[in-house]
Amino acid sequence: SQHAAVDVAIIGAGPSGAVAAALLRKAGHSVLVLERQHFPRFSIGESLLPQSMAYLEEADMLQAVVEAGFQYKNGAHFVHGGKTASYDFRDKHSKGWGTTYQVERAKFDDILIRRAAEQGADVRFGHAVNAIQTGEAPQLEVADEAGNTYTVRARFVLDASGFGRVLPRLLELETPTRMPTRAAIFTHVRDGLPAGSTDRNKICIAVHPERRDVWYWMIPLADGRSSVGCVAEASFFDVTETEREAKLRELIRVEPTLCELIGDAPFLMPVRHIGGYSANVERLYGPGYALLGNAGEFLDPVFSSGVTIALRSAHLAVETLKRQLRGEAVDWLADYDRPLRRGIDTFRAFVDRWYTGELQDIIFYPHQTPTIRRMISAVLAGYAWDETNPYVADPVRRLNSLHEACKAM
Ligand code: FAD
């Protein structure tokens, strides 16, 4: 049998697991990553935010990402009928990167985990974690594809299993999320945007002509393809698997901008469906473990914040864990859970008001002052933890009064 003893065992090789692995290796710790699937594998979540670049840089992954030739991204473009609003992330309140990429996740995630392996992480594909014993010396039960099971002893476990939510399920940590149950249907298309067109450089978010709580994304990728999808309350997509393609086609047809850019272009893969993805837990840590990225909390895809929160969580957890492994007393609530949730709460204030329509009024308001635009732009670029931004320090009150001001004009 293949017992293993390591400093840190990581469940899942997605972006949060890969970045955590690399950062721990840089600090000299032994790391074992257990990944159920084989890479490259499909994942949704293709539009990055500029804030994520800092963590790729810190994990020595940025050069490999830049050299992969992904689609350059510098902002977000919103449309609703005849109304449009463009945010350029280089023009923002917060310091830091203003540009990033739109990535095919199969390739992006593969690059990240390879970089972690090159830095000395032991990565095992086709190995699934099935059980945990928590505590000061946590143990994982692992099964490989041949059906062999073995035990991993670690000084600490990081759960980076994304929507697999391994520890929340095994330890019954899940709490209800306030978010309504929404779902998405999506595919890749060959789009009508010429190579080099500046429209490729922004994610396009379109609001459904009749329902403000229904929206679409179009994320141009490299090679003339785009990711396109629609998000709505789950009942909106109450169609069988074989009817999904027709449903997405129909939705594209009624939205003028997407209709023009996509029209009848061929779908390059079967239309996929994902639902019930919003989730939360009471605490992002426990005896001998912490939860990263989507394994902890996931809100909503509208602001493309998922990977950014995942990488921020890896950075914050590793900072805390490095001190713990050195023998220092750490406080996971004060050092990890609360600081991470500050930014998640910023996004939550924005997401809530997106679905009520208030944030849409703000975004499409034509007379916003440059200062306020730059503050909103910073949050949309992922700088949701920068407390010098009033829309981060006090997002609920600020957005509410800004909405009042936009309505009154
Ligand atoms: P993941 O990337 O999900 O990786 C988890 C890994 O763990 C997987 O490889 C899985 O195989 C592995 N695993 C699971 N169970 C086990 C087990 N038992 N043992 C071993 N391994 C296991 N985010 C963005 O940033 N931009 C976007 O544009 C965006 N769009 C989205 C659109 C939709 C419709 C949805 C639902 C989400 C979107 N997201 C987006 C969110 C994004 O997909 C996630 O936030 C991101 O992938 C989280 O990364 P992660 O590292 O936490 O987990």
Side-chain angles (χ1 to χ4, degrees), residues 198 222 300:
T198 54
D300 186 273

Side-chain angles (χ1 to χ4, degrees), residues 19-31 54-61 115-116 119-121 318 322:
V19 165
L23 295 177
L24 285 162
R25 284 300 306 142
K26 285 184 78 171
H29 297 295
S30 58
V31 180
Y55 308 115
L56 297 175
E57 210 168 11
E58 190 191 357
D60 288 341
M61 295 174 173
R115 281 297 301 138
Q119 293 175 74
V318 168
K322 283 194 304 199

Side-chain angles (χ1 to χ4, degrees), residues 382-397:
Y383 294 91
W385 292 266
D386 174 11
E387 306 262 348
T388 71
N389 184 346
Y391 289 87
V392 171
D394 196 359
V396 169
R397 202 178 56 84

